[in-house]
Amino acid sequence: MLLSFDSGVSALQQFQQQINVIANNIANVNTVGFKSASVSFADAFSQSLGSTAAGSTQIGTGVITASITNNFAAGAISSTGVQTDLAINGNGFFMVKDSVSGSSYVTQDGTFTIDNSGYLVTSGGMRVQGASGDIQFPTASTSPTMTGYSIGSDGVIAVRMSDNTTVAPTGGALALQNFTNPGQLVKVGGNLYSAPAAAGALATPGKPGSSGLGTIVSGSLEMSNVDLAGQLTSLITTQRAYEANSKVITTSDEILQTLVNLKR
């Protein structure tokens, strides 16, 4: 068996993976808080043919995918005018919790709303976490009633009541989480990440604007950090590499066919 077959086939497999990653990046170019991914390759095992005075003689057997990593660089912050839309200007993640399962996640998608029970929730219904739990605004059944609110850059939420007083919602101010190794976060869909221990979470979630955490921008969202021009360029170069390795397989097949014909 020609080693060139192994090299060519392995390349087709890995470049297909790279095209899959690029396609996912392009598909999420307008996804709020999305972080693009990139593929890194490494050479596969090399077959040793011996050694010479100049050194060992080896022939490589192809390529493998070394890693697929997420780029956590910030995306552009876009104004929406919706007060509960929140962006993080700097480092950090919003913390959210599934009220049914109790599972906790982090996200940089700040597309939040206030539900019928007064909870600040994600578009998927996850409850946004404050310094002391679920953030819940006063509901219409309370007296006095809520007439408005503001969300400061430090995450402090001031709720204005009909008796001209200002109160904080249940759960307190927004709290942010950060990680020493965010590349270990696991995407679980819905713009959410689970936070394995290897990601190195802060021991205690922090106040926006402190401990290296970013500040809150109310009425805005952080957009995807996908560089569309760069992704399209990568798609072209990956396509050309795929075609080149297809040619390697075709050439190897022709060589084998020639060897078979020698027998005739």
Side-chain angles (χ1 to χ4, degrees), residues 165-221:
T165 60
T166 301
V167 301
T170 303
L174 280 163
L176 299 180
Q177 181 59 277
N178 203 13
F179 303 89
T180 57
N181 187 11
Q184 292 293 328
L185 295 175
V186 178
K187 291 182 178 181
V188 295
N191 293 342
L192 302 174
Y193 298 89
S194 64
L202 294 175
T204 304
K207 177 182 177 181
S210 67
S211 302
L213 295 168
T215 55
I216 301 297
V217 183
S218 179
S220 299
L221 293 172

Side-chain angles (χ1 to χ4, degrees), residues 77-80 82-95 107-112 120 128-131 135 137 149-158 172-177 205-210 212-222:
I77 293 179
S78 176
S79 176
T80 64
V82 179
Q83 201 169 5
T84 51
D85 283 347
L86 304 178
I88 302 172
N89 184 18
N91 299 320
F93 295 78
F94 297 109
M95 300 182 300
T107 183
Q108 291 185 324
D109 177 2
T111 311
F112 302 144
L120 186 64
V128 181
Q129 299 299 291
I135 294 177
F137 290 79
Y149 58 89
S150 63
I151 303 174
S153 61
D154 58 356
V156 172
I157 303 172
L174 280 163
L176 299 180
Q177 181 59 277
K207 177 182 177 181
S210 67
L213 295 168
T215 55
I216 301 297
V217 183
S218 179
S220 299
L221 293 172
E222 180 185 348

